[in-house]
Amino acid sequence: MFLETVWFMLWGLLWAIYFILDGFDLGMGTLMPFLAKNEKEKRTIYNAAAPFWDGNEVWLITAGGVTFAAFPKAYAVMFSALYAPLLMLLFALIFRAVSFEFRNKIESDAWRKLWDTFLFLGSFVPALLLGVAFANLFQGIPIDGDGVYHGNLIKLLNPYGLLGGVMFVLMFCLHGALWLAIKSSGELHERAMQMAARIWPYFMASAVAFLAATAVYTNLYHNYLAIPPLMGVIILAVVALFTTRLFISSGSTILAWASSAVTILSCTLFGVIGMYPALIPSNMDDLYHVTIYNAASSPLTLKIMLGVALTFVPVVIFYQAWVYKVFSFKITDKDLASDEAY
């Protein structure tokens, strides 16, 4: 039980790290049509994400890999039940990745607009689908005792699922606007901060609506009522959300982004802790839940995985921290003139 619980929490933490890191990429791509007024500002947005986006997606692959290795039954059920949205997510991420590489291959405005459109869709669609997918996991999906899915894509687009999707899009857009403010200067910097200030109340309203709907559509609050100290996660999310707005008002971009990151972390952990010990709840019968008990690999496998993770994850964290430090500067005209710029 101990190892299963450890890997369950690591699973949730990996998803939270992915949302924090790739969230600003997805947010900037979604906001680009509304923030960038000319070619220089579009290239600034591309270059604000370019050194980081592929490294950020390592955490998505890691979260998927952990699901496969630590909880193979959950992996099988999840990827069969959510096959259509996950395939759409995959193609959207592929088109986003290709837009970085192909946009400047041909000197043509139409060619650039085509890849700018793919960047927008490849950012907006994953943000929306991730929210829809996790909201549906929170409320449970129609799986039977054999793990067979009895729903379809349309059923995933229910009111609670769509509310989760809208909240994720707003959360990532706020996070992305703040990252762009960190990496830019001048009018684009000011516009990004103003956008963050405009998005904040809509994100807060969606978060409040999502928390209220969670009480109606899910059993996530059961664990919190059973163990009241866990409410600290929700309180942390609220404090971080309001702190983000405070730092936006004071113009402290880095602190505002850090507070936004804490908001994403605590929002993700809120859902993960509420689901425990279920990985994929069934809304057909409680006996059909895929849990850490009936989905986990053998204790030996979990022990070996823990040793590997404790050895190599710090190396990945160190390398990624080094990359963020190297590319921590604001993007200037000189950077955009470089042959290595996007």
Side-chain angles (χ1 to χ4, degrees), residues 278-295:
L279 280 158
I280 305 176
S282 169
N283 58 16
M284 297 179 72
D285 193 310
D286 290 351
L287 294 175
Y288 301 157
H289 289 347
V290 177
T291 70
I292 63 171
Y293 306 118
N294 60 27

Side-chain angles (χ1 to χ4, degrees), residues 23 38 54 57 79 88 95 97 131 159 184 227 230 234 266-267 285:
N38 51 51
D54 47 356
E57 291 196 351
F79 278 76
M88 293 169 62
F95 276 107
S184 62
I227 309 175
L230 291 176
I234 302 175
S266 47
C267 284
D285 193 310

Side-chain angles (χ1 to χ4, degrees), residues 19 82 84-86 88-89 124-141 149 152-169 172 210:
F19 292 151
L82 303 177
L86 288 175
M88 293 169 62
L89 172 70
F124 170 74
V125 172
L128 181 69
L129 290 178
L130 286 168
V132 170
F134 269 82
N136 275 282
L137 285 180
F138 294 162
Q139 70 175 343
I141 57 177
Y149 181 59
N152 53 49
L153 179 61
I154 301 302
K155 288 185 178 179
L156 295 176
L157 302 177
N158 53 74
Y160 184 69
L162 289 174
L163 180 57
V166 170
M167 189 186 75
F168 264 56
V169 170
F172 289 164
F210 189 78

Side-chain angles (χ1 to χ4, degrees), residues 26-53:
L26 298 174
M28 280 197 299
T30 303
L31 289 174
M32 192 175 79
F34 311 102
L35 279 175
K37 302 298 183 186
N38 51 51
E39 175 65 12
K40 176 186 170 183
E41 292 182 351
K42 288 179 181 176
R43 291 191 63 212
T44 300
I45 291 176
Y46 272 96
N47 285 277
F52 312 107
W53 71 268

Side-chain angles (χ1 to χ4, degrees), residues 40 43-44 47-48 182-185 329-338 341:
K40 176 186 170 183
R43 291 191 63 212
T44 300
N47 285 277
I182 291 173
K183 295 292 290 179
S184 62
S185 56
F329 52 83
K330 284 183 179 289
I331 298 168
T332 63
D333 291 347
K334 182 181 178 182
D335 299 316
L336 295 179
S338 168

Side-chain angles (χ1 to χ4, degrees), residues 9-337:
M9 295 311 300
L10 287 175
W11 175 78
L13 186 60
L14 287 171
W15 277 110
I17 293 173
Y18 170 68
F19 292 151
I20 291 171
L21 295 183
D22 210 28
F24 70 75
D25 290 345
L26 298 174
M28 280 197 299
T30 303
L31 289 174
M32 192 175 79
F34 311 102
L35 279 175
K37 302 298 183 186
N38 51 51
E39 175 65 12
K40 176 186 170 183
E41 292 182 351
K42 288 179 181 176
R43 291 191 63 212
T44 300
I45 291 176
Y46 272 96
N47 285 277
F52 312 107
W53 71 268
D54 47 356
N56 295 340
E57 291 196 351
V58 167
W59 297 99
L60 173 64
I61 297 169
T62 306
V66 165
T67 310
F68 172 75
F71 305 106
K73 181 179 178 181
Y75 181 89
V77 173
M78 183 183 299
F79 278 76
S80 59
L82 303 177
Y83 183 78
L86 288 175
L87 200 62
M88 293 169 62
L89 172 70
L90 177 62
F91 276 105
L93 291 175
I94 289 173
F95 276 107
R96 183 182 66 139
V98 174
S99 67
F100 280 93
E101 304 298 333
F102 276 36
R103 184 178 187 271
N104 288 323
K105 295 296 183 185
I106 298 177
E107 287 294 331
S108 164
D109 289 341
W111 177 261
R112 292 194 184 97
K113 285 181 180 177
L114 173 68
W115 292 108
D116 289 346
T117 302
F118 281 131
L119 178 69
F120 167 73
L121 293 175
S123 302
F124 170 74
V125 172
L128 181 69
L129 290 178
L130 286 168
V132 170
F134 269 82
N136 275 282
L137 285 180
F138 294 162
Q139 70 175 343
I141 57 177
I143 53 172
D144 61 22
D146 295 322
V148 177
Y149 181 59
H150 291 268
N152 53 49
L153 179 61
I154 301 302
K155 288 185 178 179
L156 295 176
L157 302 177
N158 53 74
Y160 184 69
L162 289 174
L163 180 57
V166 170
M167 189 186 75
F168 264 56
V169 170
L170 292 169
M171 182 169 69
F172 289 164
C173 283
L174 174 62
H175 204 46
L178 292 170
W179 181 260
L180 180 59
I182 291 173
K183 295 292 290 179
S184 62
S185 56
E187 290 184 12
L188 185 58
H189 169 85
E190 297 299 326
R191 212 178 299 137
M193 288 298 283
Q194 291 169 3
M195 179 64 78
R198 282 201 293 269
I199 293 172
W200 187 87
Y202 292 102
F203 173 49
M204 185 186 70
S206 69
V208 170
F210 189 78
L211 286 174
T214 296
V216 177
Y217 289 99
T218 78
N219 295 318
L220 288 191
Y221 288 110
H222 177 78
N223 286 343
Y224 293 91
L225 295 174
I227 309 175
L230 291 176
M231 289 286 185
V233 175
I234 302 175
I235 295 172
L236 178 62
V238 174
V239 171
L241 180 59
F242 280 93
T243 305
T244 302
R245 185 65 183 90
L246 186 65
F247 286 130
I248 291 173
S249 298
S250 65
S252 305
T253 51
I254 294 177
L255 292 176
W257 186 86
S259 295
S260 174
V262 174
T263 304
I264 296 174
L265 172 70
S266 47
C267 284
T268 307
L269 293 182
F270 159 72
V272 171
I273 292 171
M275 289 172 63
Y276 180 86
L279 280 158
I280 305 176
S282 169
N283 58 16
M284 297 179 72
D285 193 310
D286 290 351
L287 294 175
Y288 301 157
H289 289 347
V290 177
T291 70
I292 63 171
Y293 306 118
N294 60 27
S297 296
S298 68
L300 178 60
T301 301
L302 296 179
K303 285 181 183 177
I304 293 173
M305 286 177 57
L306 193 58
V308 172
L310 291 175
T311 303
F312 289 103
V313 169
V315 176
V316 175
I317 293 173
F318 175 79
Y319 173 74
Q320 203 156 17
W322 175 76
V323 170
Y324 273 78
K325 185 176 185 305
V326 169
F327 294 98
S328 60
F329 52 83
K330 284 183 179 289
I331 298 168
T332 63
D333 291 347
K334 182 181 178 182
D335 299 316
L336 295 179

